[in-house]
Amino acid sequence: MKLYMQVLIALGLGLKRNWHIFVGLILGIISGVWLHTHQNPMIMATLDFIGQLFIRLIQMVVIPLVISAIVIGITSIGDSKQLGKLGTKMIFYYAIITLVAVVVGAGLALLIKPGLGAATYITSDIATDIQSHVAATIEAQRGNLLNIILGFVPKNPLSSIAAGEMVPIIVFAVFFSVALAKVGEINRPFVSFFESIFAATMKITDWIMCFAAPGVFALTAVAVSHFGIDIFMAISKYLGVLALGFGIQMFIVYPIFLKIFSKVPVLMLYAAIAEAMMVAFGTASSSATLPLTIACCEKRGISHKVTSFVIPLGATLNMDGTALLQVVAVIFLAQAYGVVLTPLIIVQVALLAIIASSTSAGIPGAGLITIALVLNGIGLSPEQLVAGFAFLFTIERITDMMRTLVNVTSDAVVAAAIADNENEINYDLLNNPEEYNEVID
Ligand code: ASP
């Protein structure tokens, strides 16, 4: 074998797994740009296959993992007073982070005005078939808030499990676990059963992560190949505002949040969850990333008691990245169509975005469906609504990858803050990068 090949292989083997994923991500972006101009159905089909295979593999462990994590987490907290305290704190922290996200989004969109002059390319570029599909979605979402909330309570937990409906599954798992905690010692065999399930699903997650670099590479290449540089240029202002907003959340808001509410060093936390962040970007799914988010946090010292309760709930309910996007998107469309938003309507948009985002499942595209809730009532005509919504669809995947990265990061940030407050964090592990080799031994 040639010497340079040997050096390359040695380098590759020596690199940590998150660097492999990072390289996969960068190569995916480059290949996606190339594929956009050199359409090649066979390469596309192969990449699509690899990406889907990776997503399916992680999805395979999500439901057993979520249920077992919640059962173990809640029963280990045990006492219902402490559980109430932890739950309230969790909701408070998630609410603060999402509230700041909508304020950042609204502030940037109103200041930079990305929508001015955008009406022409919104209306001209959109295929009519997307528009008819979109019209049906908007109709289905209209006035649907109460139904969405009703849908959180499972009529039949087993059918929710079979259908993979995360929120109803979590609602049931929480009720069930609180009841188990209340019945005392008699719960032992059942809890042990879930402890075994949890350990095994984490082991499977570790195996699957060996496949993360090619998986993230393929998913990114396919996503990027749908957008040429031309569309990026046309909507660069909109994407720029989003990227700036997400950047502010990640590099200003979370560090300040951690400083105020804990003594967790933000860079150490980010280093700990780097793999989860990249997988979130590649898969655009908080739920699919969930096993890895938990694994990364636990490996670096955040206790199982906290991660198993806070992160599954966060992956479903805490969507600050999604809320930020929804506010920016709605203001963008209003600006494009010259609709003047009064301060009251802006507040309404922000509040609806908080609700709509937290009703979004942690799967690709969920936040774009629930945005219909926020769009209604801002004064766009039905045609403008459909065209605007269809426009958002065409650039959905890229924005989804960015907001999912933010969603997953904030789950870990809140878990770390709570763990700090509750003395449930091992700072030696968190602050010592040498301890960090691979997620899960
Ligand atoms: N894909 C996002 C997530 O999984 C949800 C969304 O569509 O905004 O976190």
Side-chain angles (χ1 to χ4, degrees):
M1 196 187 292
K2 293 226 165 63
L3 184 65
Y4 74 89
M5 278 304 286
Q6 289 179 15
V7 173
L8 275 180
I9 291 173
L11 271 176
L13 292 177
L15 285 174
K16 281 193 192 133
R17 197 165 58 197
N18 38 6
W19 283 107
H20 291 167
I21 305 176
F22 184 68
V23 171
L25 196 75
I26 300 296
L27 289 181
I29 296 175
I30 298 170
S31 316
V33 172
W34 183 83
L35 276 169
H36 180 74
T37 42
H38 301 77
Q39 294 294 333
N40 184 324
M42 216 174 84
I43 299 184
M44 283 297 284
T46 313
L47 288 175
D48 198 39
F49 172 78
I50 297 174
Q52 290 311 316
L53 187 64
F54 175 59
I55 292 205
R56 275 176 176 254
L57 282 170
I58 17 188
Q59 279 174 337
M60 177 176 85
V61 292
V62 167
I63 292 180
L65 183 118
V66 166
I67 299 177
S68 55
I70 293 179
V71 169
I72 304 170
I74 292 185
T75 49
S76 68
I77 298 169
D79 151 28
S80 50
K81 244 208 193 125
Q82 215 206 340
L83 185 65
K85 200 179 114 211
L86 214 69
T88 316
K89 186 175 267 178
M90 177 188 75
I91 291 171
F92 174 65
Y93 283 172
Y94 280 145
I96 295 182
I97 278 189
T98 310
L99 189 66
V100 175
V102 293
V103 172
V104 168
L108 289 177
L110 291 171
L111 206 75
I112 303 178
K113 303 192 173 43
L116 290 190
T120 20
Y121 63 76
I122 291 182
T123 324
S124 60
D125 273 336
I126 310 299
T128 31
D129 56 334
I130 303 188
Q131 298 206 0
S132 56
H133 169 61
V134 157
T137 311
I138 295 181
E139 202 41 55
Q141 289 288 318
R142 199 181 290 276
N144 204 14
L145 192 56
L146 289 181
N147 281 341
I148 294 177
I149 293 171
L150 263 187
F152 286 173
V153 183
K155 272 198 257 177
N156 174 349
L158 291 183
S159 66
S160 293
I161 290 175
E165 299 161 349
M166 287 312 285
V167 183
I169 293 175
I170 287 181
V171 169
F172 177 72
V174 169
F175 269 109
F176 190 71
S177 311
V178 173
L180 268 182
K182 284 243 170 268
V183 297
E185 267 309 291
I186 199 172
N187 70 17
R188 223 25 250 163
F190 212 74
V191 176
S192 303
F193 169 73
F194 279 106
E195 280 165 356
S196 309
I197 293 188
F198 183 80
T201 45
M202 286 312 235
K203 196 81 218 154
I204 301 176
T205 305
D206 191 35
W207 295 335
I208 299 169
M209 287 316 293
C210 299
F211 188 54
V216 167
F217 162 73
L219 287 167
T220 313
V222 172
V224 173
S225 73
H226 294 306
F227 315 94
I229 295 288
D230 40 342
I231 183 148
F232 273 114
M233 288 309 181
I235 52 162
S236 56
K237 219 168 166 191
Y238 173 66
L239 286 181
V241 169
L242 283 178
L244 189 62
F246 294 144
I248 290 179
Q249 280 294 101
M250 302 263 303
F251 298 109
I252 298 179
V253 177
Y254 301 159
I256 294 179
F257 172 87
L258 285 175
K259 194 128 217 109
I260 296 178
F261 294 105
S262 75
K263 48 183 188 309
V264 174
V266 67
L267 290 181
M268 287 300 172
L269 180 68
Y270 284 5
I273 59 164
E275 276 187 304
M277 286 169 157
M278 288 184 282
V279 168
F281 187 82
T283 58
S285 169
S286 307
S287 293
T289 315
L290 180 62
L292 194 61
T293 320
I294 295 184
C296 286
C297 288
E298 289 192 9
K299 182 75 185 175
R300 287 294 288 277
I302 300 176
S303 81
H304 181 66
K305 193 165 151 181
V306 172
T307 52
S308 58
F309 178 57
V310 176
I311 295 184
L313 291 172
T316 331
L317 298 175
N318 170 48
M319 301 279 173
D320 58 328
T322 303
L324 192 152
L325 172 125
Q326 291 183 331
V327 170
V328 172
V330 169
I331 297 180
F332 168 83
L333 291 179
Q335 288 166 346
Y337 288 117
V339 174
V340 180
L341 297 178
T342 61
L344 202 69
I345 296 203
I346 294 172
V347 172
Q348 173 197 315
V349 164
L351 291 180
L352 280 178
I354 294 177
I355 299 171
S357 64
S358 50
T359 64
S360 313
I363 55 172
L368 198 68
I369 305 296
T370 54
I371 204 176
L373 272 176
V374 193
L375 271 174
N376 283 321
I378 64 158
L380 295 179
S381 72
E383 297 74 34
Q384 289 172 337
L385 263 182
V386 169
F389 201 53
F391 162 76
L392 298 177
F393 252 105
T394 58
I395 51 162
E396 160 60 7
R397 182 70 187 195
I398 289 294
T399 62
D400 200 3
M401 291 160 100
M402 296 198 279
R403 66 185 189 250
T404 307
L405 165 64
V406 175
N407 290 341
V408 166
T409 307
S410 62
D411 296 341
V413 164
V414 169
I418 294 184
D420 170 273
N421 301 168
E422 303 294 315
N423 266 332
E424 290 284 342
I425 189 163
N426 178 342
Y427 277 104
D428 286 341
L429 266 181
L430 185 66
N431 290 327
N432 185 1
E434 282 77 52
E435 300 268 341
Y436 182 77
N437 30 44
E438 298 292 311
V439 175
I440 330 168
D441 289 319

